[in-house]
Amino acid sequence: MDCKDRKGNIIYTDDGQDKLLEKLYSSACGRFLLRFLIPPQISKFGGFFLSRKISRIAIEPFIRKNQIDMTQYESRKFCSYNDFFTRKIKPECRPIDLTETHLIAPCDSRLTVYPITSDSRFTIKNTEYTMKSLLRDEEAAKAYEGGQLLLFRLTVKDYHRYCYPDSGILSKIHKIPGVFHTVNPIANDYFPIYKENTRSYCYLESAVFGTMLMMEVGALMVGKICNYEENCKVVRGMEKGHFDFGGSTIILCLPAGSAIIDPDILANTSAGFETRVKYGEKIGIHQTENALT
């Protein structure tokens, strides 16, 4: 999907990782290769390597290829590639919109917005979900019917820390392990071509936007989800967690009648574009305030 910035300009995004995964899952040869990539021990080895000192050799090539402006980040030496990947940005480079009636983006990402209905289907990392299959909880899924699902897609070159979109009370964290299902696409050869990535979600009880559901989706094989808190009070813009290496996704489910998303974002979604948003910036407004203005 193409992407636009908040000024309406089309921006080029090199989604090499997602394109590679799509090719792997859409061809017999790719599905065969995946048989050797999905075992847990492979993922653990990848994470182990990226956390070792030797992995630092990949940092400079990555910076050059993705034209990352390192002046925006805290100046320090990195002890591994994962240490670099989870680098912290300077606070002044990601100011937080503190207006209480504004909904903010939890991360740097490409955003699309979808209505939630009983038969909604959402494609997340090449896997199609219903709300029920996404949450593995029918009652929780029904609670958000009539609301909106905001899909924030991060690429490998995005800032991989994320924050709370509003102040409120945070619930416990619900963890959903990733799984692979087998089907028989060709002859009698069985390949794992339908995947569900590891997911983690919690509820954020906001005085303004009601009970929001915030979910993190890990990347295939490596992308570890690292959340910091649960069952506590949080403040908008406060860092919630980070992803280790891998393009990852954050999902925000809003209850019916809670917010109106900014017109440019809705227009872009309708036209088939993602919208480039940044950590802490306004992406919507409390619906009651909008009705009164």
Side-chain angles (χ1 to χ4, degrees), residues 106-107 124 129-137 149-152 154 162 165 170 173-176 196-204 212-218 225 227 240 243 248-253:
C107 58
I124 303 165
Y129 295 92
T130 62
M131 279 294 290
K132 180 181 176 181
S133 64
L134 182 66
L135 302 178
R136 295 192 192 169
D137 186 325
L149 183 144
L150 280 57
L151 181 64
F152 300 87
L154 291 76
Y162 45 90
L170 190 69
I173 295 173
H174 304 262
K175 296 181 179 180
I176 302 176
E196 287 191 19
N197 290 73
T198 299
R199 307 186 291 288
S200 177
Y201 74 90
C202 61
Y203 296 99
L204 177 59
M212 298 185 285
L213 184 150
M214 189 172 182
M215 171 181 282
E216 296 81 36
V217 183
I225 301 167
N227 283 312
K240 183 178 189 293
F243 293 108
S248 304
T249 298
I250 288 178
I251 294 168
L252 187 63
C253 295

Side-chain angles (χ1 to χ4, degrees), residues 56-83:
R56 293 187 302 177
I57 61 175
I59 294 175
E60 286 302 324
F62 183 89
I63 292 172
R64 290 195 300 271
K65 178 183 177 183
N66 294 288
Q67 300 179 328
I68 295 174
D69 180 5
M70 292 302 294
T71 63
Q72 293 191 359
Y73 296 88
E74 296 179 352
S75 180
R76 55 183 292 269
K77 288 187 176 181
F78 301 108
C79 61
S80 68
Y81 185 85
N82 251 338
D83 187 32

Side-chain angles (χ1 to χ4, degrees), residues 139-150:
E139 184 177 348
K142 285 185 177 180
Y144 286 91
E145 287 183 11
Q148 300 172 92
L149 183 144
L150 280 57

Side-chain angles (χ1 to χ4, degrees), residues 265-290:
I265 297 172
L266 294 177
N268 287 343
T269 296
S270 295
F273 289 95
E274 295 174 306
T275 303
R276 182 77 171 91
V277 297
K278 293 183 178 181
Y279 182 116
E281 78 173 12
K282 175 181 173 290
I283 58 170
I285 194 168
H286 179 45
Q287 185 160 340
T288 301
E289 178 182 291
N290 187 80

Side-chain angles (χ1 to χ4, degrees), residues 176-187:
I176 302 176
V179 297
F180 287 82
H181 303 291
T182 56
V183 298
N184 185 11
I186 46 176

Side-chain angles (χ1 to χ4, degrees), residues 12 30 44 56 94 98 101 114 182 216 221 278 287 291:
Y12 174 73
K44 290 179 180 179
R56 293 187 302 177
R94 290 296 182 276
L98 297 177
T101 53
Y114 303 98
T182 56
E216 296 81 36
M221 296 179 287
K278 293 183 178 181
Q287 185 160 340

